[in-house]
Amino acid sequence: MDENATKQTPAEITDAVEKVETNEEVKEEVKETEVVENTPSMEDYEKEIDNTFVKITEGDIVEGKVLSVTDTELLVNIGYISDGIVTSEEIVHEQDASLKEIYNENDIIKAQVINLHDGEGNVLLSIKKAEQIIIWDELADAFKNNSTITVTVKEAVKGGLRCTIKGIRAFMPGSRISVNYVEDLKEYVGQELKVKVIDFDAESKNVVVSRKEIEKVELDKKRHELLENINKNDRLSGVVKRITNFGAFVDIGGIDGLVHINDLSWKRVKHPSEVVSVGDNVEVYVLDVNKEKERISLGLKNINDDPWLNVKQKYTEGNIYQGTVVRLISFGAFVMLEGGIEGLVHISEIADKRIEKPEDVLEIGDKVSVKLLGIDEKGKKIKLSIKEAKDEVNKEEFKKFNDDSDISTSLKDVFKGIMDNFKE
C-alpha cells in the first residue's frame, strides 16, 4: 500500500476532528430538542386527568357504586371527578324504612344527575327521577313485548285495585284480577303480583295491568301437565266449582272434571245440591279421560263402597227386610233398603187388592216391610213385595196366635182342676 495515499497532513487531521465535534454537538442539540418536544405541558396533564373520568351533564342517568350509607343520604362513586350524593328525598322508599335497611356499601345504583355542583364539591343525584325514567321505558317495553312485571297492590277501590310500580301508579280492573270471581278485593292489598301491561300511555301517565293473563298461562301449563299424567281410577282431591241439574264440576288442579249426578252417590239423588255445595273439598275418582277433548269424568262415590258388591251375601231371597219408600212411579214404588240398595215393588206387589196407582196406598218416606223376591246381581236389580211381606207377617202372627191358644187351653185345664178341688 502507498504510504503517501493514507498519510494526512496536520491541517487535514484538525479539520477532521472539528467535523466530528460538530457532529456530536448537532446530535446533542437534536436530543435536547426531542426531550423538550416529548415533555407534556400542563394542558396535556389536564386533558389526561379529564380522560380518566366520565363526562356527565345534568339530566344524564349514571351508574355508580355506593361508598357509604347514612340515615339521610348515600355517597356514590360515579366515576366522575366528584362523588355523587343522593338524599333520602330523592329515593323511592317506605316512609318508615331506614336507608341503612335498603342499601349497603358496594351496591350498584342508577341515578339521574340533577346538579353538577352542590357547593361542597359533590354531584347531586336522584334515584327517584332515574327510576321514573327507567320504569316508563320498561313499561313501554313490557307493553310492546307482552312481558311480565311486578306491581304492589296499595288499595282496593270501586272497580279494581290501585297498584304501584317503583312509584308509578297503575290500575288493575276487577275483571282482570283472576280467572275466577273475586269476592273481596281487599285480600290483595299489600301483595306483590306478577302482571302484564294491557294498556299504556306515557303522555297521560295511564297504565292498566292484568293478573288474569298470568293465571291463564299458569293454568294452561297445569292443565297440560295434568292431562299428560292423569289416568283412569286415579284418586284426586278437588274443589266443587259449579253445580248444575245434571252434576257438579270439580276443579282438580287446573282443569274441571264433571261428576255426573249418577256418580255422586250410590243412593238415588234428585239434585246434586243434596250431596255437595260450591266450595266443598272432595275426594274424587277418575272414571274416564279424553285427552284430546280435555274432558274428565269423575265419580264421588267410592267403588269399594258399592252396596252391590257381594250383594247375595248381604241379602237372601225370601227374607223380610225393612225399607223406606223413596220414589213412586206409574208401575210401582222404589224402596231403599237399610244397606243402601233400592229395590222395585211392582204395583201388583203393593197390596192384596187391585190399585190404580201406587200413590193410592203409599207415600214417599213411608217405612215398609218388604219381602225379597229376587236379585239380578249383574243388572243391579232387586224385586221386592210389600204384599207378600204382609202375608208372611200374618202367617207369623197366626202361628203365634195358635201358640198362645195352646197356652190358653192349658191354663183353662189348670183352673178347671183347681175348681174341681174346691168342689170336693
Side-chain angles (χ1 to χ4, degrees), residues 175-194:
S175 60
R176 294 287 187 167
I177 296 173
S178 175
V179 293
N180 301 313
Y181 172 72
V182 178
E183 186 173 353
D184 185 10
L185 299 182
K186 292 181 181 178
E187 66 183 53
Y188 291 96
V189 175
Q191 292 189 28
E192 287 190 346
L193 304 175
K194 290 187 178 299

Side-chain angles (χ1 to χ4, degrees), residues 266-404:
W266 291 109
K267 297 180 181 180
R268 189 174 297 276
V269 178
K270 289 184 178 180
H271 194 272
S273 59
E274 297 175 13
V275 182
V276 293
S277 300
V278 173
D280 284 353
N281 293 307
V282 293
E283 294 287 330
V284 291
Y285 301 83
V286 179
L287 303 180
D288 192 24
V289 181
N290 187 326
K291 296 185 178 182
E292 292 183 359
K293 295 183 178 181
E294 297 188 358
R295 292 179 183 174
I296 300 176
S297 298
L298 304 172
L300 188 64
K301 55 190 183 184
N302 191 335
I303 297 175
N304 296 324
D305 294 335
D306 186 353
W308 288 93
L309 289 175
N310 304 316
V311 65
K312 289 189 176 181
Q313 296 179 13
K314 301 174 185 176
Y315 301 95
T316 304
E317 292 185 18
N319 283 359
I320 306 296
Y321 297 96
Q322 300 302 308
T324 304
V325 177
V326 293
R327 192 155 54 103
L328 299 174
I329 54 178
S330 60
F331 56 85
F334 282 95
V335 174
M336 175 75 73
L337 302 182
E338 292 179 351
I341 289 181
E342 287 185 16
L344 174 65
V345 180
H346 192 268
I347 191 170
S348 61
E349 296 292 337
I350 292 177
D352 294 328
K353 61 181 181 179
R354 180 181 176 81
I355 59 175
E356 295 294 328
K357 53 185 182 296
E359 292 89 335
D360 294 338
V361 180
L362 299 173
E363 292 183 359
I364 292 176
D366 284 350
K367 305 294 183 181
V368 294
S369 296
V370 292
K371 181 177 181 180
L372 199 155
L373 302 180
I375 299 176
D376 179 2
E377 189 172 7
K378 186 176 181 180
K380 294 187 176 183
K381 295 178 181 179
I382 287 183
K383 294 180 181 180
L384 304 172
S385 174
I386 296 176
K387 179 177 67 176
E388 291 197 24
K390 286 182 179 179
D391 290 342
E392 290 293 332
V393 171
N394 290 336
K395 288 179 182 179
E396 289 295 323
E397 289 180 352
F398 182 74
K399 182 179 179 182
K400 183 178 180 182
F401 174 77
N402 286 338
D403 292 340
D404 290 345

Side-chain angles (χ1 to χ4, degrees), residues 81-133:
I81 192 170
S82 301
D83 290 328
I85 295 291
V86 188
T87 62
S88 59
E89 291 79 10
E90 295 300 331
I91 299 174
V92 180
H93 66 287
E94 299 294 334
Q95 295 296 327
D96 298 332
S98 169
L99 293 185
K100 291 182 179 180
E101 297 174 358
I102 305 172
Y103 295 97
N104 297 297
E105 290 184 13
N106 298 320
D107 283 352
I108 302 300
I109 59 101
K110 286 186 178 181
Q112 185 183 37
V113 178
I114 56 177
N115 193 334
L116 284 173
H117 306 285
D118 68 344
E120 296 182 3
N122 295 311
V123 178
L124 292 183
L125 304 172
S126 173
I127 292 177
K128 182 189 297 184
K129 292 180 179 179
E131 285 190 345
Q132 288 187 352
I133 295 172

